[in-house]
Amino acid sequence: MGLGDNEFYGSQPPATGLRLWAWSDHARGLRSDPAPTRRADLSRPSRAALRSVPLSSARCLSPPCVLRRVAGAVLALATAALVPAHAQPAGEPVELEAARIDARTDVDAVATGDVRLRRGPLTIRADRLSYTVGTDVARASGAVEINANGDVYRGRELELQLERYEGHFLEPDYFIARLQAGGSAERIDFLDRQHARIVGGNYTSCERDGTGTPNWLLSARRVDLDFENDEGRAEGAVLRFLGVPILAAPVLTFPLTSARKSGWLPPELNLDSRSGLTVGVPYYWNIAPPYDATLVPTVYAKRGVGLGGEFRYLDAAYRGVVRAHVLPDDRVAERARSALALQHEGAFDAWRYRADLQHVSDDDYWKDFDRDGARFTPRLLPRELELRRGFGAFGRDWVAYAGLQQWQVLQSDPLALIVAPYQRSPQLGVRGRGRFDAGLEYGLETEYNRFDRPAGSDDTLPTGQRVHLLGSVAWPLRASYGALVPRLALNAAAYDTDEPMADGRRHAARAIPTFSVDGTLVFERRTRWLGLDLRQTLEPRILYAHTPRREQADLPNFDAAPKDFNEVSIYSDNAFSGIDRVSDAHQVTAGVSTRFVDVATGVEKMRFALVQRYLLRDQLISAEGPPLTQRLSDLLLSASSTLSPQWTLDASVQYSPSLERTTRSILGARYSPGPFRTLGVRYRFARDLSEQVEAGWQWPLYGPVEGERRGAGDCKTTAYTVGRLNYSLRDERLTDSMFGIELDSGCWIARIVAERTSTGRTEAVSRVMLQLELVGLSRLGSNPLSTLKDNIPGYRLLREPQSTPPPPRSHD
């Protein structure tokens, strides 16, 4: 019977049957020979002649039924899971391909030479493979390789029951694609689709080129993998870095994915000038899906033993975090130290509420303990409660709110005392804004406050109550070429003080109106410069403001403060922020700006602006204290440029016409020619106050940077220098400074960062942060990354968060 006959292909293969790849060739008249010692020979036909032959359907005149063919193209290597949980879907047919296949109908098959067995997403390759139909068992030897769902492992001998996924693999190497890491083992036992056991195994993300031990290696006597519960359990685990054991645990558990898992985290190490060496060993507790907690027992070399912790919760209606730290007996301070913080927010119906409560035991707490780790704001700690609700009024959206606001002020430096802000207990108000059909826009805010001084304040500032009302009506006229906005505003307030005011009164009220007109024009033209098509704008702006003078010197000042003189505040009609002070005005502010925008991308390439204010009369209530009699204000000039992708330039200058000199200036430049290369310099000057230079950088010292490596086998180490320096030209000293080195070897990153932070005019805290990041495993030591990102403009992580596996959570 010929292989091409319809009788041979007449029946459909069963879903779970074994398929053999065979060639059909009618011209050669190939037939199965009844003699068991003779084999039909088949030379290579065209590829189009390939057919699928079901073993259970193939028939021979006498056993054994023997088929032979020349192997086809070799399959490309795929990567798959170490224990692919869904590698063997039930009901999938088995397909077998090899250079030679000896098969007995409904019994077994033996394949040799470039063997490939497929079942669903599972592929087994080997030099020799036997498959038994009745038991559904495959046995492979030689160069055995399994691929499924993205990961791969190889070994010398495999026995596997395909349907139940039970069996063992001797001396396999494995690779996990999602972690870009893998290892080797003496043996892997497949218990079922969801469970496996690794005996004598190890794990690393470093290259295995056969020239020596990987830079880091985690080995264990036995590892049990439970994919159903997403948990791994290792016995006799030892972590080695550069051949030196750095961490060992008799029993260690870890999650198999980024899912949360209770257990001990890698230890945290800190070294600073106030507490010495600090070692913390965090324990992560996965309480329930919406709750978790971290407890950190900590040993301070100078101070003693403490405990820190964090509890997080998340619900559809609320979320929050509680942080605490306690040091029962601080040997340096000779007292107990503690800190507590709660941040919570939520909603019910149309109401929203928020709480931010922080407290520390003493004024020196912010100096003595790591601010990033403790996560407490230095020197000024809030205690705030707020409740608000939105509602409709006049067909518009409004909000009503109530709150309490208090402060804990840490007065640790008698030479740099802080004037604490007032406490509001309570604060009640309503605010909203909208638009009438005639085009009028309105805004309204009315609020009641009770102002008190923080506990422990020894100042004599007044306390009392205030009710204020802020209202405005504007009629904006807007077009594509500009806008004109006339506006009428009112600032009214009534006071009731606990002690008599300067004029002897305890009750007072005032109302101050302001009229302003704000006009802007926009002109555009197309131009071309340095090979770029640009759109240039010219935007003149003029603001007229008139506010009558109202005496306010005898009234209390609960929340008003002078605004910083800058390009934004110069266009405002009041020189003060807050409610209690309103500057009289009869003034015109005029300015012009021009922008150059790339037509193709819409990116602003350059911007220049200048603005100046002219007083039409003396300003008696000014932010500077004494009346302003100088008609022309300081001239503000600003410029910025990103004309070159590598360079970012910006400048701001405040020039005094009366002094004929600069009173303030900020000049900055940043050079970023490529990945992980950034250098920024900034000069700040304020006449008679300060003059300083700041520099921050991230730059490779040697070795290929990420994206420039020659290939996967290139394991050369790259060194980067990072840092920030603040130098006071006025005091001729460094104020704050930071310097560090990052070493990237591809599979591990080491960081050492030294930081010096001023905590007073004559005090500073120095600390050293050490971190070892084993890519694909964990980070060990202290974490300087937040410090680097906060202090170095343009700093980039050497490994982006999405490509870095989460640190494993393990416990002894």
Side-chain angles (χ1 to χ4, degrees):
M1 178 184 301
L3 290 179
D5 293 347
N6 292 332
E7 182 181 0
F8 192 87
Y9 291 101
S11 59
Q12 295 296 322
T16 57
L18 174 68
R19 292 183 179 179
L20 304 179
W21 290 110
W23 300 101
S24 116
D25 194 338
H26 296 282
R28 297 187 183 274
L30 181 65
R31 299 182 180 276
S32 299
D33 194 304
T37 58
R38 298 181 60 187
R39 291 180 172 84
D41 184 54
L42 180 65
S43 59
R44 182 186 298 270
S46 66
R47 193 63 172 170
L50 190 61
R51 295 291 186 269
S52 177
V53 183
L55 178 63
S56 57
S57 301
R59 295 187 300 169
C60 299
L61 297 181
S62 63
C65 178
V66 179
L67 305 173
R68 188 179 73 171
R69 76 166 183 83
V70 180
V74 179
L75 295 177
L77 179 64
T79 54
L82 173 63
V83 182
H86 53 286
Q88 302 290 329
E92 287 282 348
V94 176
E95 298 177 353
L96 187 61
E97 180 181 2
R100 176 188 178 94
I101 300 175
D102 297 296
R104 295 185 298 174
T105 305
D106 295 326
V107 178
D108 59 15
V110 177
T112 57
D114 192 19
V115 182
R116 279 175 283 187
L117 182 147
R118 301 185 186 91
R119 188 173 192 180
L122 172 70
T123 299
I124 301 176
R125 298 187 61 173
D127 293 336
R128 185 181 188 277
L129 184 143
S130 65
Y131 175 75
T132 303
V133 176
T135 60
D136 195 25
V137 172
R139 296 177 177 85
S141 60
V144 184
E145 177 180 288
I146 297 181
N147 302 295
N149 300 321
D151 298 334
V152 60
Y153 56 97
R154 306 181 183 94
R156 65 178 179 84
E157 185 176 326
L158 169 70
E159 180 177 316
L160 186 65
Q161 206 285 336
L162 300 183
E163 180 65 28
R164 297 191 304 270
Y165 209 80
E166 294 178 359
H168 65 270
F169 206 152
L170 298 182
E171 299 180 4
D173 292 332
Y174 63 90
F175 177 78
I176 303 175
R178 65 180 180 271
L179 300 179
Q180 291 296 295
S184 60
E186 296 176 3
R187 176 187 175 105
I188 294 181
D189 293 323
F190 304 117
L191 308 180
D192 55 37
R193 298 178 188 276
Q194 301 293 339
H195 301 83
R197 175 171 298 158
I198 301 176
V199 180
N202 56 54
Y203 171 82
T204 185
S205 63
C206 297
E207 292 291 335
R208 291 173 171 268
D209 54 8
T211 59
T213 304
N215 286 167
W216 71 265
L217 189 69
L218 178 66
S219 58
R221 184 172 59 253
R222 191 180 87 174
V223 179
D224 292 326
L225 302 178
D226 184 350
F227 290 92
E228 183 176 9
N229 297 311
D230 187 35
E231 181 180 79
R233 184 177 186 274
E235 296 181 2
V238 178
L239 176 62
R240 290 178 172 84
F241 179 66
L242 299 180
V244 179
I246 61 174
L247 183 66
V251 177
L252 184 144
T253 65
F254 52 91
L256 301 179
T257 65
S258 59
R260 304 182 315 184
K261 173 71 175 62
S262 298
W264 292 102
L265 304 182
E268 299 176 352
L269 303 175
N270 287 283
L271 179 65
D272 64 59
S273 58
R274 298 185 70 92
S275 299
L277 178 64
T278 302
V279 181
V281 184
Y283 180 83
Y284 178 79
W285 182 16
N286 183 25
I287 303 172
Y291 312 105
D292 66 3
T294 304
L295 301 176
V296 189
T298 306
V299 177
Y300 301 89
K302 294 183 179 180
R303 301 183 182 277
V305 179
L307 177 66
E310 177 182 86
F311 171 68
R312 301 186 301 177
Y313 52 93
L314 177 65
D315 189 81
Y318 59 84
R319 63 181 179 181
V321 58
V322 180
R323 301 182 181 96
H325 176 250
V326 61
L327 187 63
D329 182 16
D330 188 336
R331 295 194 299 264
V332 177
E334 297 182 346
R335 62 177 182 271
R337 316 288 295 279
S338 62
L340 180 65
L342 165 67
Q343 292 177 318
H344 177 92
E345 61 181 32
F348 57 92
D349 294 332
W351 294 90
R352 299 191 64 86
Y353 59 94
R354 180 181 65 88
D356 186 1
L357 307 175
Q358 299 186 30
H359 177 78
V360 296
S361 58
D362 55 87
D363 288 342
D364 290 327
Y365 185 91
W366 72 284
K367 295 181 180 181
D368 294 339
F369 299 101
D370 175 35
R371 283 168 285 174
D372 292 334
R375 298 184 186 178
F376 293 100
T377 305
R379 305 215 63 180
L380 193 61
L381 306 182
R383 300 168 186 172
E384 298 177 326
L385 299 174
E386 183 183 59
L387 177 67
R388 61 176 57 235
R389 185 184 192 279
F391 63 95
F394 307 107
R396 308 298 179 186
D397 291 334
W398 285 54
V399 61
Y401 54 93
L404 297 173
Q405 185 182 66
Q406 299 181 355
W407 305 93
Q408 181 185 7
V409 184
L410 308 184
Q411 304 284 19
S412 58
D413 188 352
L415 301 178
L417 297 178
I418 296 177
V419 179
Y422 276 92
Q423 299 185 153
R424 300 172 187 256
S425 52
Q427 178 186 33
L428 305 171
V430 177
R431 68 167 61 102
R433 62 177 61 247
R435 182 182 179 92
F436 295 115
D437 294 337
L440 290 175
E441 296 179 352
Y442 67 88
L444 182 66
E445 173 185 294
T446 181
E447 189 175 290
Y448 165 80
N449 284 274
R450 166 68 197 186
F451 293 100
D452 292 308
R453 301 302 297 151
S457 298
D458 56 1
D459 52 54
T460 58
L461 297 176
T463 57
Q465 305 173 73
R466 183 192 72 197
V467 177
H468 78 258
L469 182 146
L470 300 178
S472 66
V473 177
W475 189 17
L477 305 173
R478 299 186 175 94
S480 60
Y481 52 82
L484 183 67
V485 184
R487 181 173 178 268
L488 181 63
L490 178 68
N491 182 323
Y495 300 89
D496 185 356
T497 59
D498 297 332
E499 299 294 333
M501 292 177 276
D503 57 2
R505 296 179 298 168
R506 296 183 58 184
H507 307 282
R510 53 97 178 134
I512 305 174
T514 297
F515 172 74
S516 65
V517 179
D518 191 356
T520 304
L521 291 175
V522 179
F523 302 94
E524 292 186 358
R525 70 170 186 139
R526 296 287 290 268
T527 185
R528 186 173 180 82
W529 192 29
L530 298 179
L532 295 175
D533 288 326
L534 302 173
R535 184 178 73 253
Q536 182 186 6
T537 67
L538 185 65
E539 304 171 40
R541 180 182 179 185
I542 186 168
L543 171 70
Y544 168 75
H546 180 270
T547 303
R549 178 179 177 271
R550 297 289 186 268
E551 185 57 50
Q552 305 163 55
D554 295 333
L555 299 177
N557 183 4
F558 294 130
D559 62 2
K563 292 180 180 177
D564 184 40
F565 189 72
N566 54 44
E567 194 175 343
V568 175
S569 65
I570 197 173
Y571 279 110
S572 64
D573 51 29
N574 187 10
F576 298 91
S577 63
I579 303 299
D580 297 313
R581 293 292 181 268
V582 180
S583 59
D584 58 316
H586 187 36
Q587 61 196 28
V588 175
T589 304
V592 63
S593 63
T594 181
R595 298 183 300 129
F596 293 83
V597 180
D598 190 330
V599 174
T601 64
V603 175
E604 183 180 279
K605 292 297 185 179
M606 289 188 296
R607 181 181 183 275
F608 301 93
L610 61 88
V611 59
Q612 192 171 33
R613 176 183 292 164
Y614 179 76
L615 298 182
L616 300 173
R617 70 168 182 234
D618 293 347
Q619 188 178 95
L620 302 180
I621 303 174
S622 71
E624 299 179 3
L628 287 178
T629 59
Q630 180 182 320
R631 289 293 184 258
L632 285 175
S633 72
D634 288 355
L635 179 66
L636 292 178
L637 303 98
S638 62
S640 63
S641 171
T642 57
L643 197 60
S644 168
Q646 292 81 24
W647 285 94
T648 300
L649 307 174
D650 63 271
S652 177
V653 177
Q654 179 178 335
Y655 177 80
S656 173
S658 60
L659 298 176
E660 296 183 346
R661 62 178 64 181
T662 299
T663 56
R664 288 200 313 177
S665 62
I666 301 176
L667 307 175
R670 194 171 80 191
Y671 177 58
S672 302
F676 312 105
R677 292 181 172 93
T678 182
L679 172 62
V681 179
R682 187 165 293 272
Y683 169 78
R684 300 177 184 270
F685 169 76
R687 187 167 297 280
D688 301 327
L689 290 177
S690 65
E691 185 178 10
Q692 64 182 23
V693 176
E694 304 171 1
W697 68 91
Q698 178 187 28
W699 205 268
L701 292 176
Y702 61 83
V705 302
E706 189 70 21
E708 297 178 1
R709 299 183 182 276
R710 290 186 291 272
D714 186 354
C715 296
K716 289 186 176 180
T717 300
T718 303
Y720 301 85
T721 174
V722 294
R724 182 182 179 93
L725 299 175
N726 292 356
Y727 183 79
S728 173
L729 298 174
R730 180 185 178 94
D731 300 329
E732 296 183 343
R733 68 181 182 92
L734 278 174
T735 53
D736 297 333
S737 59
M738 181 184 65
F739 182 80
I741 295 292
E742 294 182 295
L743 300 176
D744 184 358
S745 186
C747 62
W748 59 267
I749 300 172
R751 298 180 177 94
I752 177 170
V753 178
E755 181 185 28
R756 183 181 184 275
T757 305
S758 296
T759 56
R761 294 187 177 181
T762 59
E763 292 182 316
V765 174
S766 300
R767 62 173 176 167
V768 177
M769 293 168 281
L770 299 168
Q771 184 185 66
L772 177 61
E773 179 179 345
L774 305 178
V775 178
L777 183 66
S778 183
R779 291 172 178 162
L780 308 176
S782 54
N783 185 4
L785 295 177
S786 60
T787 301
L788 296 174
K789 289 186 290 185
D790 292 343
N791 287 274
I792 302 175
Y795 173 82
R796 286 183 55 182
L797 295 176
L798 301 185
R799 291 290 184 275
E800 296 299 329
Q802 62 268 24
S803 62
T804 302
R809 301 182 173 109
S810 56
H811 69 269
D812 292 350

